[in-house]
Amino acid sequence: EVDLALREVSSSRLREAVDRLAGFGTRHTLSDTSSPDRGIGASRAWIARAFQEAADESGRVGEEAVSVLFDSHTVAPDGRRITREVEIVNVLCVIPGSNPAARDRLYYATAHYDTICGEYTNPECDAPGANDNSSGTAVLIEMARALSKQRHDATIVLMAAAGAEQG
């Protein structure tokens, strides 16, 4: 199964995803959430669309259908890196297990998609974060494409998390 999944991974798609994520300029947790092409809001919407494409391509239906969802919570200012109340939004791709007896067993793979520049509290400065951590998020997207086409006993949860740079 691992070899089959690895054959599905495309280095060019990985590179495209890293470039796309870095192209949002910044993904600082306190950055713009409404722009279609800059900031954390644009990046999480793009990640959700990429996960949804994988879900749509999987051919899974019913209780085995892949789902994409947002997990959000509010964080209060901490006096260090979080200067105002902010909604932290994680993007999840859930690939249900095919064995009903094992479906409740969850395996997680995570990467953070937020970035930060040298001015930790400045949400406007560019922080493309190609290596930290667009690369990890790109891997999650490729995992969604590869693993959603296979059947696994347990459920796989792929989570692109925000707020890592704020601790």
Side-chain angles (χ1 to χ4, degrees), residues 32 36 41 44 47-48 62 66 71-72 87 97-98 103-104 133 150:
D32 193 333
R44 72 175 163 236
I47 294 165
V66 177
D71 167 54
S72 65
E87 183 181 29
S98 59
R103 189 172 291 139
D104 289 339
N133 189 16
Q150 296 179 336

Side-chain angles (χ1 to χ4, degrees), residues 1-159:
E1 289 182 8
V2 172
D3 288 340
L4 181 62
L6 287 173
R7 283 195 294 272
E8 290 289 324
V9 174
S10 163
S11 60
S12 63
R13 278 196 309 256
L14 283 166
R15 177 58 189 254
E16 289 169 10
V18 168
D19 289 346
R20 183 67 175 114
L21 287 162
F24 290 111
T26 182
R27 295 183 311 280
H28 191 289
T29 302
L30 300 173
S31 66
D32 193 333
T33 59
S34 59
S35 169
D37 34 53
R38 182 171 173 84
I40 197 152
S43 63
R44 72 175 163 236
W46 182 83
I47 294 165
R49 285 191 303 273
F51 278 157
Q52 190 60 55
E53 285 175 18
D56 293 346
E57 293 169 5
S58 75
R60 292 167 161 256
V61 296
E63 59 188 20
E64 287 190 38
V66 177
S67 60
V68 178
L69 54 127
F70 294 108
D71 167 54
S72 65
H73 58 282
T74 302
V75 175
D78 67 359
R80 296 177 306 127
R81 292 190 179 187
I82 302 174
T83 58
R84 62 175 170 76
E85 185 173 274
V86 64
E87 183 181 29
I88 304 292
V89 182
N90 303 318
V91 186
L92 287 81
C93 179
V94 181
I95 305 168
S98 59
N99 180 345
R103 189 172 291 139
D104 289 339
R105 188 175 61 219
L106 307 175
Y107 291 96
Y108 285 82
T110 67
H112 70 92
Y113 71 96
D114 62 314
T115 60
I116 199 166
C117 69
E119 300 173 49
Y120 301 140
T121 59
N122 183 349
E124 300 300 321
C125 62
D126 279 345
N131 191 42
D132 183 16
N133 189 16
S134 290
S135 57
T137 303
V139 168
L140 289 179
I141 293 167
E142 278 300 286
M143 288 177 71
R145 291 181 191 286
L147 297 177
S148 66
K149 294 177 182 173
Q150 296 179 336
R151 298 300 186 262
H152 306 275
D153 285 348
T155 297
I156 298 170
V157 180
L158 307 172
M159 181 172 70

